[in-house]
Amino acid sequence: MRGKYPRCLRLVAPIWNLSASGSRCLSSAVTPEGNQRKGGMLLQFLADRFYDVEALRDYLFQKQLSKVHKKNRSFVGIKKRYGPYIAGASFVLKQGGAVKFQGQEWIRATGHGYSRLKLLNFQAVPIEAVDASDCAINYEGLDNILALKELQSLFLQRCPHVDDWCLSRLHQLASSLQELSLAGCPRISERGLACLHHLQNLRRLDISDLPAVSNPGLTQILVEEMLPKCEVVGAEWAQGLKSGPEEQSQDTASPLPT
Amino acid sequence: MFRGAVWLLAGRGSLGRGLSTRSGGWTPDWTEKVSEIKKKIQSALPGGAWHPLYDTSHLPPEHSDVVIVGGGVLGLSVAYWLKRLEKPRGAIKVLVVDRDHTYSQASTGLSVGGIRQQFSLPENIQLSLFSVDFLRNINEYLAVVNDPPLDVQFNPSGYLFLASEKGAAIMENNVKVQRQEGAKVCLMSPEQLRNKFPWINTDGVALASYGLEGEGWFDPWCLLQGLRRKVQSLGVLFSQGEVTRFITSSSHMQTTSGKGVTMKRIHEVHVKMDHSLEYQPVECAIVINAAGAWSGQVAELAGIGKGPPDTLEGTKLPVEPRKRYVYLWHCPEGPGLETPFVADTSGAYFRREGLGHNYLGGCSPTEEEEPDPGNLEVDHDFFQDKVWPPLAHRVPAFQCLKHLVRLQVRSAWAGYYDYNTFDQNGVVGPHPLVSNMYFATGFSGHGLQQAPAVGRAVAEMVLEGQFRTIDLSSFLFSRFYLGEKVEERNII
């Protein structure tokens, strides 16, 4: 392996000056959690000293990112040949979600009754509901879903890559979307929820359990004000409020003298 | 020989063990002397910065391939793209010089942080589109191993420009150009405006343009720190100091038509340390002027503008600092979560800040009312006289029945625009005569939102000699001499 000239001098120094060479390894203040952390530290130690290991580590990181990108390619070929509904359905089913055509039952990739050929029967049938919960959909992959202009329900529960940027694209479904669920998405914050005001036909919105929202109760109130015709399900407005001294004494005291 | 010295000291048994346990003959400040000796020997080993007489670790290096004057978002963006586009890896040594490492007066940190694609020039729209892309994928561009991911806190709420009868035709034209370049903008009539945003008073508004995607505001400090962290991990050196002098050499040449012209090259940059007369001459090949509001002064140091007027030698860099105020106020009855960044017909603007009915806003003063840019003191009367009346007219809720609930100005600050007095657009690319000074400045209030794309353009110019991705040839310095204004009509 090629050594790095200025850094290999640190091999001389570490007897007395561990802090200089070790500062990179120990920079993160997280306590080591077993073998995985030790492996990570070993990789960091080697990457500091050898160009090849650093390039390997960068390559592994890029590979992880490109995995998500590959899953979210647009199905342009299928779209041209069979139309946007089939393309959207293939995309969602490939990701592991479920699709509901108008007048049909839910179709899932693993369930019985699904086959690619059967899907082709529904070329002209619009999709009315998409359940992409727990799927690795991201900003680019949303292209396939936004082409479904008659979509009425969209479930994006617990999607790890759906963030505020994705929400800003949903305005393209404003004319048809009536139900939207974003429960449990780790990257959505109140800033993304602010751009849901385009969805004027929305009647049901689920924003429960969003860890990145800083103030769930206040956000719930503001979203309800923003979308007056919509039923917003999510945090209770009192969540996050500390109970006052009266309520506390009420809890401890017996409700009624027996 | 040095290893011998190491083992000699180690032989005494003093290193790495508790010195206080030894009795007699060991003075209490021996640990300091030992660490001093350690430092000296370490700096004497090859690869360290060593000077025989005194410690030079606080000074910048003596040689650097590229010196970037100015460590704000534009300077760091150029450093990042230089490091990213260089071939082979590690080929170019980059030094970023900034005189204030706290960024107390830098335009980046004091910026309102908006990003929009609603410009009239196609180049500006393309720059903004790429920058939005960059921000969206910031954790792919600026990832540093073992460091937490960045959250720029982007609010995708869009910009809403309001136009009166006079400006309606220009706005329609602009929106056409924006749509052609790929921006998602829609036009709204006053009626549609009232339906969408019932808190707006559409009196005097003939047309409105609303950005649907890729527009909003974000945290500029996070972008700056993210760039700084990444750029440091890529091996860029930082130095705190002020550039006081350029050592240049001139060569007299003749153009093909026989006219004489003097070409200059910068050989050294003198970087002066804070609160001292000490300076370090840094020998360099290329200098990038990203000094923001003070770029004009840096350009003068290189001799740009020193010559008879109406010649290329005598054309100064027309960038000067202009002070702008930003006010933060609270209005409990104000517009809600859906509020975009509203730019009124009068030039006043405001946006929502946070969830607590706080709003940030300001207004660009006219030429006659320009405040003195000598300091960053805030003029609170400016808010009462120039900012609040048009905004209160536009959003009646801001009038806040004075006896019940008052409009409270919670805070205010001032920052500089690196204002290009010629045509309010950026200056990018090399100077025609001082061939190794490149500009990345003069963006007059929209520098932050175009920084990632401009950094890439300047890096391409430096490394390859031409713009590859976005063609910014209309932003070159020569337009000041030729008198070709590239005017941007949508300036806030």
Side-chain angles (χ1 to χ4, degrees), chain B residues 338-352:
Chain B
E338 74 277 8
T339 320
F341 193 117
V342 180
D344 185 44
T345 47
S346 57
Y349 63 87
F350 77 95
R351 67 157 171 89
R352 171 181 63 85

mmCIF file of all heavy atoms in Angstrom, chain B residues 338-352:
data_model
loop_
_atom_site.group_PDB
_atom_site.id
_atom_site.type_symbol
_atom_site.label_atom_id
_atom_site.label_comp_id
_atom_site.label_asym_id
_atom_site.label_seq_id
_atom_site.Cartn_x
_atom_site.Cartn_y
_atom_site.Cartn_z
ATOM 1 N N GLU B 338 -48.291 28.937 5.995
ATOM 2 C CA GLU B 338 -48.098 28.839 4.552
ATOM 3 C C GLU B 338 -47.433 30.081 3.968
ATOM 4 O O GLU B 338 -47.255 30.175 2.759
ATOM 5 C CB GLU B 338 -49.452 28.631 3.851
ATOM 6 C CG GLU B 338 -50.335 29.865 3.775
ATOM 7 C CD GLU B 338 -51.133 30.103 5.031
ATOM 8 O OE1 GLU B 338 -50.885 29.395 6.030
ATOM 9 O OE2 GLU B 338 -51.998 30.995 5.023
ATOM 10 N N THR B 339 -47.068 31.047 4.817
ATOM 11 C CA THR B 339 -46.521 32.308 4.309
ATOM 12 C C THR B 339 -45.262 32.087 3.496
ATOM 13 O O THR B 339 -44.287 31.541 4.000
ATOM 14 C CB THR B 339 -46.142 33.218 5.491
ATOM 15 O OG1 THR B 339 -47.130 33.117 6.480
ATOM 16 C CG2 THR B 339 -45.986 34.645 5.042
ATOM 17 N N PRO B 340 -45.243 32.528 2.235
ATOM 18 C CA PRO B 340 -44.005 32.461 1.465
ATOM 19 C C PRO B 340 -43.135 33.672 1.768
ATOM 20 O O PRO B 340 -43.464 34.464 2.646
ATOM 21 C CB PRO B 340 -44.511 32.501 0.025
ATOM 22 C CG PRO B 340 -45.764 33.298 0.096
ATOM 23 C CD PRO B 340 -46.367 33.046 1.439
ATOM 24 N N PHE B 341 -42.058 33.799 1.056
ATOM 25 C CA PHE B 341 -41.194 34.981 1.146
ATOM 26 C C PHE B 341 -41.837 36.022 0.236
ATOM 27 O O PHE B 341 -41.779 35.918 -0.977
ATOM 28 C CB PHE B 341 -39.802 34.594 0.623
ATOM 29 C CG PHE B 341 -38.721 35.588 0.939
ATOM 30 C CD1 PHE B 341 -37.652 35.222 1.736
ATOM 31 C CD2 PHE B 341 -38.741 36.873 0.421
ATOM 32 C CE1 PHE B 341 -36.628 36.110 2.019
ATOM 33 C CE2 PHE B 341 -37.735 37.774 0.703
ATOM 34 C CZ PHE B 341 -36.664 37.387 1.500
ATOM 35 N N VAL B 342 -42.470 37.010 0.826
ATOM 36 C CA VAL B 342 -43.264 37.951 0.045
ATOM 37 C C VAL B 342 -42.429 39.172 -0.295
ATOM 38 O O VAL B 342 -41.867 39.812 0.596
ATOM 39 C CB VAL B 342 -44.519 38.381 0.844
ATOM 40 C CG1 VAL B 342 -45.338 39.346 0.033
ATOM 41 C CG2 VAL B 342 -45.332 37.167 1.218
ATOM 42 N N ALA B 343 -42.348 39.503 -1.593
ATOM 43 C CA ALA B 343 -41.645 40.716 -2.024
ATOM 44 C C ALA B 343 -42.684 41.650 -2.625
ATOM 45 O O ALA B 343 -43.270 41.357 -3.655
ATOM 46 C CB ALA B 343 -40.571 40.369 -3.055
ATOM 47 N N ASP B 344 -42.903 42.748 -1.943
ATOM 48 C CA ASP B 344 -43.985 43.660 -2.302
ATOM 49 C C ASP B 344 -43.617 44.514 -3.519
ATOM 50 O O ASP B 344 -42.447 44.598 -3.914
ATOM 51 C CB ASP B 344 -44.268 44.550 -1.080
ATOM 52 C CG ASP B 344 -45.439 45.443 -1.287
ATOM 53 O OD1 ASP B 344 -46.460 44.954 -1.819
ATOM 54 O OD2 ASP B 344 -45.341 46.632 -0.955
ATOM 55 N N THR B 345 -44.609 45.184 -4.089
ATOM 56 C CA THR B 345 -44.369 46.062 -5.237
ATOM 57 C C THR B 345 -43.435 47.203 -4.876
ATOM 58 O O THR B 345 -42.696 47.704 -5.722
ATOM 59 C CB THR B 345 -45.696 46.673 -5.722
ATOM 60 O OG1 THR B 345 -46.396 47.171 -4.572
ATOM 61 C CG2 THR B 345 -46.556 45.634 -6.398
ATOM 62 N N SER B 346 -43.441 47.600 -3.602
ATOM 63 C CA SER B 346 -42.601 48.737 -3.216
ATOM 64 C C SER B 346 -41.148 48.343 -2.980
ATOM 65 O O SER B 346 -40.309 49.191 -2.758
ATOM 66 C CB SER B 346 -43.148 49.328 -1.919
ATOM 67 O OG SER B 346 -43.165 48.304 -0.949
ATOM 68 N N GLY B 347 -40.847 47.040 -2.989
ATOM 69 C CA GLY B 347 -39.472 46.624 -2.718
ATOM 70 C C GLY B 347 -39.277 46.110 -1.311
ATOM 71 O O GLY B 347 -38.253 45.510 -1.002
ATOM 72 N N ALA B 348 -40.261 46.319 -0.428
ATOM 73 C CA ALA B 348 -40.149 45.772 0.927
ATOM 74 C C ALA B 348 -40.447 44.277 0.876
ATOM 75 O O ALA B 348 -41.207 43.814 0.034
ATOM 76 C CB ALA B 348 -41.133 46.475 1.859
ATOM 77 N N TYR B 349 -39.853 43.525 1.783
ATOM 78 C CA TYR B 349 -40.057 42.080 1.775
ATOM 79 C C TYR B 349 -40.198 41.600 3.201
ATOM 80 O O TYR B 349 -39.746 42.257 4.149
ATOM 81 C CB TYR B 349 -38.888 41.364 1.086
ATOM 82 C CG TYR B 349 -37.558 41.544 1.787
ATOM 83 C CD1 TYR B 349 -37.156 40.688 2.819
ATOM 84 C CD2 TYR B 349 -36.705 42.585 1.451
ATOM 85 C CE1 TYR B 349 -35.955 40.868 3.476
ATOM 86 C CE2 TYR B 349 -35.502 42.765 2.097
ATOM 87 C CZ TYR B 349 -35.130 41.914 3.094
ATOM 88 O OH TYR B 349 -33.941 42.101 3.755
ATOM 89 N N PHE B 350 -40.801 40.408 3.367
ATOM 90 C CA PHE B 350 -40.828 39.789 4.687
ATOM 91 C C PHE B 350 -41.012 38.298 4.507
ATOM 92 O O PHE B 350 -41.443 37.815 3.457
ATOM 93 C CB PHE B 350 -41.953 40.371 5.569
ATOM 94 C CG PHE B 350 -43.325 39.841 5.229
ATOM 95 C CD1 PHE B 350 -43.862 38.769 5.930
ATOM 96 C CD2 PHE B 350 -44.078 40.420 4.223
ATOM 97 C CE1 PHE B 350 -45.120 38.280 5.618
ATOM 98 C CE2 PHE B 350 -45.326 39.950 3.907
ATOM 99 C CZ PHE B 350 -45.857 38.870 4.608
ATOM 100 N N ARG B 351 -40.669 37.536 5.551
ATOM 101 C CA ARG B 351 -40.934 36.099 5.528
ATOM 102 C C ARG B 351 -41.214 35.641 6.951
ATOM 103 O O ARG B 351 -40.873 36.309 7.908
ATOM 104 C CB ARG B 351 -39.738 35.344 4.943
ATOM 105 C CG ARG B 351 -38.471 35.365 5.785
ATOM 106 C CD ARG B 351 -37.611 34.173 5.397
ATOM 107 N NE ARG B 351 -36.285 34.171 5.975
ATOM 108 C CZ ARG B 351 -35.981 33.634 7.162
ATOM 109 N NH1 ARG B 351 -36.919 33.134 7.933
ATOM 110 N NH2 ARG B 351 -34.734 33.615 7.584
ATOM 111 N N ARG B 352 -41.796 34.476 7.043
ATOM 112 C CA ARG B 352 -42.094 33.904 8.356
ATOM 113 C C ARG B 352 -40.777 33.402 8.970
ATOM 114 O O ARG B 352 -39.878 32.950 8.267
ATOM 115 C CB ARG B 352 -43.058 32.730 8.138
ATOM 116 C CG ARG B 352 -43.315 31.870 9.353
ATOM 117 C CD ARG B 352 -44.260 30.731 8.990
ATOM 118 N NE ARG B 352 -43.713 29.826 8.005
ATOM 119 C CZ ARG B 352 -42.915 28.793 8.270
ATOM 120 N NH1 ARG B 352 -42.549 28.579 9.512
ATOM 121 N NH2 ARG B 352 -42.483 28.012 7.308
#
